[in-house]
Amino acid sequence: MRGLVEKILREMLIPTLLFALGLYTVMAILTFVLPQLQGGIGSILEQLPFVKTFIGALLGTEIGDDISAQMFQAFLFVHPVVLLTTWGHAVTFCTRVPAGEIDRGTIDVLLAWPLSRGKIYAVESVMCLATGLFVLATGWLGHLTTVGGMPDDMRPSGIGVIWVYLNFFALYIAVAGLAFLASSISNRRGRAVGAVVAFIVASFLLNFVAPFWGPARSVDFLALLTYYRPAEVLANVEFPLRNIAVLLGVGLTAWAAGFGVLSRRSIATA
Amino acid sequence: MSVIATEGLTKRYGTRRGIEDVALHVSEGSLFGFLGPNGAGKSTTIRILLGFMQASEGRATVLGHDCWRESAVLKREVGYVPGDVRLYSWMTGRIALRISGRIRGRDLTQRGGELAERFGLDLSVRADRMSRGMRQKLGLLLALAHEPRLAVLDEPTSGLDPLMQDELADVLREFAARGHTVFFSSHTLSEVEQLCDRVAIVRDGRIVADESIADLRARARRTVVLHFDTPEHAAKTAAPPELVHVERTGRLWRAQLETDDPRAFARWVAAQPVADFSLSPPNLEGVFREYYRADDDGGAT
């Protein structure tokens, strides 16, 4: 197993460090900049009402005429760059095997080693979770780096942030599970990435339009972001058990389906 | 004991044929050639043997293990070189041997180093800077360094220069002399003829012959080329019964001589309006060509 771990690290160490560095930087900057924006946000919302809709959709909650300090902090965790960075890591990692390896022909080397497909899948999954956790933790570190400069009344509660991070990690697992499934089905990495990105974009748009379009509201339970509500968690300081359970359910189901497909399919290099 | 045993092995890709009813028995310590033209089904058979693909029908075992269900176990004692060796871009020979050694639970540096020296491979070069021949050598290194009981080599000489092909043949002969088995897939007759002691010929997904090279040699024919005086003579002359597969082009006849004693044929030639002729020593090419020949009249001979 050490050999397989070394192979994975050789492929994913640098990308993981880059994703982590990116998330660290974005979180540190957002934590520092957001309090300074809060003062002027009221007048922006007055002049540009659609911005309120946009922020409300991102946060997944109705916002009044003014955004509370806590709600403003929740924006940190739903900022598109933050979401794209973490999902980017999940999709990059999870579409390498088998789709990426079949695509470039290296699957023959991997499958020639005395490793069962189950073992390959399991080690890839554990490494994906470990590196994903590292990327998210680095983002948290970025938040902690600059949170000291934030006014006391704006600082989110420590336990609230932990719950949000657990919810965020569950979201990461759901995306990773879907990426593993797409990769297991496909012979082309581009197609696997495209399928997951299409699902994420559709999910994002559905979640975005649901608050102000009835037909979308009736199916918004299908959108992954419906189960990621940092604003509510920070406001209520309540463990989002149901949302985490749904996201883990999606992730584990997709992951198990991916394993089922991989263990049964015939593999030939393209 | 059969190192490789298959019965009724069939693989279909939807309506497209892969292989059909393949039966193979490869005994321990043999150098077994698996010969066939491109697209005949050689790689499909190999991919089933290694558990990359599941057969549609039939059964296959390698070293007594079921190829699909116990693929991870059997690969502990199998080395494999794919038809087109593609490696991880970051991989050097040294890293490849280390990772492979860790996965296989043994140190491969010494044996890998010896093979690298014989193949003239620099172990410090990254795969993305390697020529095709270098990648092929590294593929061979990964397949042979752990001294597997069975080496499955899918067209292993592609990309190797003639000297390196000879070196590989020597390595494989020594490997087999130590009791290991080589399953050598190729579409080139000469390398199978030189190296292997037994050969199975696959065509259109089916095994059309499975014989020892010695038996095939006993049936080998001579190639005959006749130059007649004129095209008219070439067209009018009737071929004797021992001359088969006669191809007539203008003044020229090219054919196979199906007899152990060419003297009677030489007397027949002397009585014909022939300006020149040549008669080769017995060779396997004719036998193989017969198996390869397009199936115009319904089946292999």
Side-chain angles (χ1 to χ4, degrees):
Chain A
M1 199 175 85
R2 272 171 58 215
L4 192 53
V5 170
E6 180 180 344
K7 172 195 168 288
I8 293 170
L9 286 177
R10 286 200 170 267
E11 288 168 354
M12 281 309 295
L13 185 61
I14 290 174
T16 297
L17 290 175
L18 290 176
F19 277 112
L21 182 66
L23 195 61
Y24 174 90
T25 309
V26 171
M27 289 295 274
I29 291 172
L30 285 175
T31 305
F32 179 74
V33 166
L34 281 177
Q36 297 168 35
L37 291 178
Q38 201 201 2
I41 196 76
S43 59
I44 293 174
L45 293 182
E46 216 168 89
Q47 288 166 22
L48 303 166
F50 71 90
V51 173
K52 192 166 77 175
T53 312
F54 179 74
I55 294 174
L58 274 180
L59 293 172
T61 186
E62 282 286 318
I63 56 174
D65 290 336
D66 206 359
I67 301 178
S68 71
Q70 294 256 305
M71 207 172 271
F72 217 77
Q73 280 308 301
F75 194 63
L76 261 180
F77 303 100
V78 293
H79 193 282
V81 176
V82 172
L83 295 177
L84 287 176
T85 307
T86 50
W87 292 343
H89 179 266
V91 172
T92 304
F93 197 111
C94 303
T95 54
R96 292 166 30 260
V97 177
E101 299 245 7
I102 296 172
D103 208 357
R104 54 186 179 169
T106 51
I107 193 81
D108 284 344
V109 176
L110 181 64
L111 292 185
W113 281 323
L115 298 163
S116 68
R117 295 186 189 188
K119 192 167 194 176
I120 293 169
Y121 200 72
V123 174
E124 284 284 340
S125 303
V126 169
M127 291 299 286
C128 170
L129 293 184
T131 53
L133 199 58
F134 171 74
V135 171
L136 262 64
T138 314
W140 190 356
L141 203 62
H143 170 68
L144 293 177
T145 304
T146 49
V147 78
M150 193 179 271
D152 286 346
D153 65 317
M154 286 193 71
R155 281 190 206 176
S157 81
I159 194 74
V161 172
I162 290 173
W163 296 155
V164 169
Y165 260 101
L166 287 175
N167 201 169
F168 200 12
F169 191 49
L171 181 65
Y172 176 92
I173 290 171
V175 173
L178 290 166
F180 269 128
L181 173 60
S183 176
S184 296
I185 293 168
S186 181
N187 280 348
R188 299 275 179 218
R189 192 179 193 185
R191 278 185 212 153
V193 171
V196 184
V197 169
F199 181 84
I200 289 172
V201 169
S203 179
F204 189 84
L205 290 176
L206 185 59
N207 181 69
F208 189 75
V209 299
F212 45 89
W213 191 40
R217 203 161 26 238
S218 62
V219 291
D220 76 340
F221 67 91
L222 294 172
L224 284 183
L225 284 172
T226 302
Y227 307 99
Y228 177 58
R229 298 290 190 223
E232 289 173 11
V233 175
L234 289 178
N236 305 328
V237 195
E238 192 178 332
F239 183 66
L241 179 63
R242 181 179 159 276
N243 286 348
I244 287 178
V246 170
L247 290 171
L248 289 181
V250 169
L252 291 176
T253 304
W255 180 87
F259 174 64
V261 172
L262 180 63
S263 58
R264 284 170 182 77
R265 69 173 290 194
S266 289
I267 291 179
T269 39
Chain B
M1 176 203 166
S2 285
V3 173
I4 296 174
T6 72
E7 291 298 339
L9 203 62
T10 299
K11 177 71 184 175
R12 297 186 199 94
Y13 305 95
T15 55
R16 197 161 55 87
R17 172 195 58 75
I19 54 171
E20 190 78 36
D21 197 24
V22 167
L24 282 174
H25 291 274
V26 178
S27 53
E28 190 146 27
S30 64
L31 279 155
F32 191 94
F34 195 47
L35 190 67
N38 292 328
K42 302 187 297 293
S43 295
T44 298
T45 306
I46 286 174
R47 300 186 84 80
I48 292 173
L49 292 177
L50 291 166
F52 294 8
M53 297 174 107
Q54 192 172 18
S56 309
E57 287 169 30
R59 61 186 291 272
T61 60
V62 167
L63 298 164
H65 299 288
D66 183 273
C67 291
W68 178 251
R69 288 196 305 273
E70 300 172 286
S71 135
V73 179
L74 71 87
K75 282 182 289 194
R76 284 184 203 146
E77 298 185 272
V78 174
Y80 168 56
V81 177
D84 179 14
V85 177
R86 293 196 232 167
L87 301 164
Y88 303 102
S89 57
W90 44 264
M91 199 176 236
T92 65
R94 208 160 279 126
I95 291 171
L97 287 172
R98 189 176 66 231
I99 289 178
S100 192
R102 282 177 173 171
I103 289 172
R104 293 188 179 279
R106 63 178 87 169
D107 184 7
L108 303 180
T109 40
Q110 190 187 337
R111 180 64 184 143
E114 288 166 14
L115 286 169
E117 202 165 307
R118 290 188 70 169
F119 291 139
L121 178 67
D122 182 348
L123 291 175
S124 63
V125 179
R126 276 172 57 106
D128 55 3
R129 289 176 198 148
M130 286 182 180
S131 65
R132 179 156 184 237
M134 287 174 80
R135 289 203 309 273
Q136 193 71 20
K137 291 173 188 175
L138 183 50
L140 286 162
L141 224 69
L142 285 173
L144 300 173
H146 61 289
E147 288 284 306
R149 281 177 68 192
L150 168 67
V152 178
L153 313 176
D154 193 355
E155 304 196 355
T157 54
S158 54
L160 298 182
D161 61 55
L163 289 177
M164 212 41 74
Q165 290 182 18
D166 290 346
E167 187 64 44
L168 173 62
D170 288 344
V171 167
L172 295 179
R173 281 190 200 99
E174 291 163 20
F175 184 78
R178 293 196 294 275
H180 305 286
T181 308
V182 177
F183 186 84
F184 187 99
S185 157
S186 174
H187 62 258
T188 312
L189 162 66
S190 56
E191 60 188 21
V192 170
E193 187 182 350
Q194 283 168 23
L195 182 70
C196 299
D197 43 37
R198 192 172 182 86
V199 62
I201 300 173
V202 59
R203 199 193 67 197
D204 294 339
R206 289 177 177 275
I207 301 288
V208 293
D210 183 352
E211 294 183 64
S212 72
I213 294 284
D215 285 348
L216 285 172
R217 279 209 182 99
R219 293 199 286 115
R221 294 167 177 165
R222 297 164 191 270
T223 300
V224 174
V225 179
L226 294 168
H227 293 263
F228 284 86
D229 292 338
T230 63
E232 289 73 28
H233 282 138
K236 283 179 189 166
T237 305
E242 64 267 34
L243 211 57
V244 296
H245 300 309
V246 181
E247 294 169 13
R248 301 167 194 241
T249 317
R251 297 167 52 212
L252 195 73
W253 279 19
R254 184 182 293 276
Q256 302 287 317
L257 184 62
E258 203 173 52
T259 177
D260 292 338
D261 183 1
R263 284 175 296 186
F265 175 72
R267 284 193 292 275
W268 177 85
V269 171
Q272 305 305 315
V274 168
D276 194 8
F277 87 105
S278 68
L279 188 62
S280 76
N283 66 66
L284 287 179
E285 195 177 328
V287 180
F288 284 98
R289 278 188 189 282
E290 200 163 302
Y291 286 122
Y292 273 31
R293 202 176 295 276
D295 198 4
D296 294 334
D297 47 29
T301 47

